[in-house]
Amino acid sequence: MNYKNLLIKNFLTLNIILLLISVKYVENEFTNNKEKKIKRMLVFMFPGGKTHNYVLQNLFDYSLSHEDKFKYEYHILVHKIDEKVWLNKVKENPSSYKLYPYGDVDSYKELFEEGIEDMNDNPTSGYSGFNRAILLNIKHFLESDILKEMKNKQKEYNEKYNEDYFHMVTTDTPNFIHKLLYQELNIKLSLYLVPALIPQIFYSNFEMNPSYFPTIGSTFTDEMTFIERFQNSFIQNLMQIIFHFFKMYQSQLINSYNYDIDNNAHIIDSFHMFQYPLGLSFPFSIPPNWVLLNSVTSKPSQKINDKNMDAFLNKYKKNIYFSSGTIMKTFLSLNDYAEVFKYLKDKNIGVILSVREDQMNNNEIKLLPNNVYVSRWLEQNNLLGDSRINLFVTHGGYNSVLESVYHGKPMVVLGIGLDHYNAASFIKKRKIGEVFQRKNLINKDAIINSIENVLNDKEYSDNALQIGKIMRDLKDPREEFKYWIDFGYNNGYSYLSIPSYKFKFSWIIVNGYDVALVWLLILLIIILIIKRIIDCIHNCLCGKCENKHKKNKHYKFD
């Protein structure tokens, strides 16, 4: 009996101890959460680039799942053309994601698609159509009540708690709305979080040398001949002139709504993070307020869930993945691609083809040979990570290229627009595939030839595996993102910016053009002085000779 009472007593004591521990744990968690300061990031997404949204979501989600120093909130300003991309995030985590949609979808979509087409046709100077889309987006934003709502939030919170409501403003590419938010809301921190392959846009503010850094839309690598360096420099300076006028039009539009903003869309004291993995990309010197991130969407692959696709991959000796973007954006008909697929069928090669949902009922899709597995949606990262995929044929979308390299897959890149040219140049330089950088070179025979070359030459797959290993060994970009936003919230970024960048016409000062001009004038003065001295000496000598000649003539006369 005593033994039974003792056992009950010990059991009750143990439960009381566990209960106290649980209460203490909950109390500590509550205290920690209460002590965590909320840091609100205002995020403006440039409309139309859906993959940009996915990259930033990946980074934001990681920070939310690893809150330690701060509790994060992300307030997303997004045009209605991209609103659906964020709706699930708001539903899943309404306390951390706030959405502010604006604009008219139809009018913007029409101009945006025209602008993209113009730039694809001429990547160096076809920006006028795109600028019209940017101006319309600015107008849509300014005619919404979002900025007024933000200003009221910032003012009321500041008056009530004597601190800012918004702590950082972020965007995925330089634009005037980002600068307007920074200026009008008096936000202390600015961040450029750039998923696209466009560090060249910052040429005018930073020391990226056109002698070894190809401009956007260029087919050059970082090793250029004299002629290529001359062309690259000329194109870059031409683009700066074009961009100057576009920025002038955009700032004038904003100022017509009674704001006061200058012609430079870039905030010099910002921190910059670029998705630009070392090993694949071309290295260049960067300022202290720049960080180059590894591929954000690339990750270890998981088993393919689609049983039919899994069985299909086992049927063939080799398999190729064709992205839908490649089929729809490379100016060949689907019938031409069908001829390519038939040729591959004879070689016992299977093809995985992803298409959009609205393309599934296309009659031409239905007539493709049976070595083509058509899917309206697939997890690209998992597919590229599957050992049965031997080659990726892509139009050169940056995230697709990064995922392919991460998993060590060689490519055939049909890079025919915008930064696709630059992504293709990476592949060409690193010898991890064959590339097309001119539309007139793309035909079914050329594609078949390139596919055979890449599949049969082990150098391509070996190089892809080597660079893939480098990318997998680089630091996790999500960790790096979280580290630097925490660093900014604690310490700010302004002291990381090189002072010369803050001057007006900084590109003249940073590149030393003003000093070079002074040296040129000094050299010219020295040359003129030397010429003057030589002329004086010459005149003196000629004068003596002339006098001597006259004297000799005089003696002869006598």
Side-chain angles (χ1 to χ4, degrees):
M1 193 72 178
N2 289 335
Y3 176 75
K4 187 176 180 181
N5 288 336
L6 182 64
L7 189 63
I8 293 170
K9 185 179 179 181
N10 287 338
F11 178 75
L12 290 172
T13 304
L14 181 61
N15 275 280
I16 291 169
I17 291 170
L18 289 172
L19 181 62
L20 289 172
I21 291 171
S22 299
V23 169
K24 188 65 178 175
Y25 175 77
V26 171
E27 187 183 81
N28 286 339
E29 282 297 298
F30 178 78
T31 304
N32 287 337
N33 286 328
K34 193 176 179 181
E35 287 175 355
K36 282 180 189 174
K37 286 190 176 181
I38 297 176
K39 293 296 181 181
R40 298 178 185 87
M41 182 183 289
L42 187 57
V43 183
F44 174 75
M45 297 301 305
F46 190 84
K50 286 186 170 55
T51 56
H52 292 202
N53 292 275
Y54 296 134
V55 171
L56 266 63
Q57 286 175 5
N58 205 308
L59 296 171
F60 297 163
D61 284 347
Y62 179 85
S63 67
L64 291 171
S65 63
H66 292 76
E67 290 178 337
D68 45 20
K69 298 177 183 177
F70 304 110
K71 181 173 175 54
Y72 307 104
E73 282 184 14
Y74 294 102
H75 295 248
I76 315 296
L77 277 66
V78 62
H79 195 283
K80 287 179 182 176
I81 196 171
D82 293 328
E83 182 181 5
K84 289 181 180 177
V85 180
W86 289 93
L87 286 176
N88 283 338
K89 291 294 171 191
V90 177
K91 287 179 182 177
E92 291 168 6
N93 196 345
S95 63
S96 299
Y97 284 108
K98 317 290 181 183
L99 198 61
Y100 305 84
Y102 69 91
D104 174 69
V105 174
D106 293 335
S107 59
Y108 180 78
K109 184 179 181 181
E110 182 181 353
L111 278 183
F112 179 77
E113 289 178 350
E114 287 176 5
I116 291 293
E117 191 174 332
D118 287 347
M119 287 194 295
N120 280 335
D121 289 339
N122 193 337
T124 54
S125 59
Y127 285 88
S128 57
F130 197 64
N131 185 56
R132 288 194 293 273
I134 294 173
L135 290 170
L136 181 62
N137 176 55
I138 292 173
K139 187 178 179 184
H140 283 174
F141 176 78
L142 293 174
E143 291 179 355
S144 73
D145 293 325
I146 290 177
L147 184 54
K148 183 179 177 181
E149 181 184 345
M150 298 291 173
K151 289 176 85 168
N152 288 336
K153 277 187 179 181
Q154 188 83 317
K155 183 181 177 182
E156 290 170 6
Y157 197 84
N158 191 277
E159 289 174 353
K160 189 173 181 179
Y161 298 104
N162 196 29
E163 62 178 73
D164 294 332
Y165 186 77
F166 296 111
H167 304 93
M168 186 182 297
V169 60
T170 301
T171 190
D172 56 333
T173 187
N175 62 81
F176 279 102
I177 295 178
H178 171 248
K179 186 165 185 175
L180 185 66
L181 293 167
Y182 176 80
Q183 182 175 298
E184 291 297 310
L185 301 178
N186 195 26
I187 299 176
K188 302 296 188 296
L189 300 173
S190 169
L191 170 66
Y192 291 103
L193 190 55
V194 187
L197 183 52
I198 53 170
Q200 297 91 336
I201 285 182
F202 295 85
Y203 252 116
S204 60
N205 299 297
F206 296 102
E207 302 171 59
M208 285 187 284
N209 195 326
S211 293
Y212 61 83
F213 198 83
T215 188
I216 189 169
S218 163
T219 61
F220 304 139
T221 69
D222 57 344
E223 295 184 60
M224 292 178 256
T225 64
F226 173 79
I227 298 297
E228 289 173 338
R229 283 187 284 116
F230 180 83
Q231 290 174 334
N232 194 55
S233 180
F234 174 79
I235 292 169
Q236 179 54 45
N237 285 292
L238 175 64
M239 289 177 71
Q240 287 302 323
I241 294 169
I242 294 169
F243 287 165
H244 171 76
F245 286 104
F246 289 163
K247 288 187 285 187
M248 184 175 68
Y249 299 146
Q250 292 166 29
S251 61
Q252 285 174 353
L253 175 61
I254 290 175
N255 291 334
S256 71
Y257 284 80
N258 297 319
Y259 294 105
D260 183 17
I261 201 162
D262 61 29
N263 287 350
N264 189 2
H266 183 236
I267 301 167
I268 301 297
D269 283 340
S270 302
F271 197 77
H272 306 72
M273 295 191 214
F274 289 89
Q275 187 179 223
Y276 196 81
L278 300 172
L280 173 67
S281 57
F282 302 143
F284 63 97
S285 56
I286 58 174
N289 56 341
W290 274 41
V291 166
L292 305 181
L293 298 176
N294 193 13
S295 172
V296 175
T297 59
S298 304
K299 55 189 176 184
S301 61
Q302 296 177 349
K303 192 178 187 325
I304 293 173
N305 292 324
D306 186 334
K307 292 181 180 179
N308 293 328
M309 184 188 291
D310 190 62
F312 178 87
L313 289 170
N314 287 327
K315 284 172 60 177
Y316 294 93
K317 182 180 177 182
K318 292 182 179 180
N319 292 283
I320 300 174
Y321 167 44
F322 272 76
S323 70
S324 59
T326 305
I327 298 295
M328 302 303 161
K329 296 179 182 178
T330 52
F331 306 95
L332 286 187
S333 69
L334 198 54
N335 285 332
D336 286 327
Y337 280 106
E339 291 297 318
V340 174
F341 299 153
K342 286 175 185 174
Y343 176 86
L344 296 174
K345 180 182 178 181
D346 294 338
K347 299 288 184 179
N348 194 27
I349 296 174
V351 174
I352 301 291
L353 174 63
S354 65
V355 297
R356 296 194 308 266
E357 188 170 355
D358 61 319
Q359 298 162 350
M360 286 296 289
N361 296 322
N362 187 320
N363 288 329
E364 291 180 327
I365 292 281
K366 293 177 181 178
L367 295 175
L368 292 174
N370 61 6
N371 68 319
V372 180
Y373 184 93
V374 181
S375 175
R376 67 181 179 182
W377 183 90
L378 52 81
E379 178 52 65
Q380 180 170 279
N381 184 78
N382 289 342
L383 183 62
L384 288 169
D386 193 289
S387 60
R388 293 167 293 180
I389 293 293
N390 305 96
L391 174 66
F392 180 32
V393 181
T394 173
H395 67 285
Y398 191 39
N399 284 319
S400 294
V401 166
L402 294 181
E403 288 174 5
S404 184
V405 175
Y406 179 90
H407 292 293
K409 295 294 189 291
M411 281 168 274
V412 171
V413 181
L414 312 177
I416 41 77
L418 297 175
D419 58 342
H420 303 162
Y421 287 110
N422 301 88
S425 292
F426 289 165
I427 305 308
K428 177 172 64 177
K429 173 67 185 293
R430 305 305 179 199
K431 295 182 180 178
I432 52 180
E434 294 200 354
V435 305
F436 294 83
Q437 293 174 299
R438 292 286 181 267
K439 296 173 192 174
N440 60 348
L441 298 177
I442 300 175
N443 57 68
K444 61 184 180 182
D445 293 327
I447 292 174
I448 288 171
N449 187 55
S450 288
I451 287 173
E452 285 195 323
N453 290 342
V454 176
L455 286 176
N456 296 327
D457 190 339
K458 195 169 179 292
E459 182 183 14
Y460 291 118
S461 57
D462 288 346
N463 291 339
L465 288 169
Q466 181 184 5
I467 296 174
K469 183 180 181 303
I470 292 172
M471 285 180 63
R472 292 191 298 275
D473 286 345
L474 290 172
K475 191 171 183 179
D476 189 326
R478 300 169 304 169
E479 291 179 11
E480 198 149 15
F481 164 75
K482 185 182 178 304
Y483 169 81
W484 282 110
I485 61 168
D486 285 351
F487 183 91
Y489 286 140
N490 278 322
N491 306 292
Y493 298 127
S494 61
Y495 54 90
L496 297 174
S497 180
I498 296 174
S500 297
Y501 299 149
K502 301 178 185 180
F503 297 145
K504 195 172 183 181
F505 305 116
S506 63
W507 61 277
I508 295 176
I509 297 168
V510 168
N511 291 289
Y513 293 148
D514 52 344
V515 176
L517 182 61
V518 171
W519 276 113
L520 190 64
L521 290 172
I522 291 171
L523 182 62
L524 184 61
I525 291 168
I526 291 171
I527 290 170
L528 290 173
I529 291 171
I530 292 172
K531 184 179 181 300
R532 185 70 177 167
I533 292 170
I534 291 172
D535 288 344
C536 288
I537 294 171
H538 179 265
N539 290 337
C540 288
L541 292 174
C542 287
K544 285 182 180 181
C545 291
E546 189 177 338
N547 290 335
K548 188 174 181 181
H549 180 67
K550 285 181 180 180
K551 191 173 180 180
N552 288 337
K553 280 180 73 177
H554 175 73
Y555 287 145
K556 189 175 181 183
F557 176 79
D558 288 345

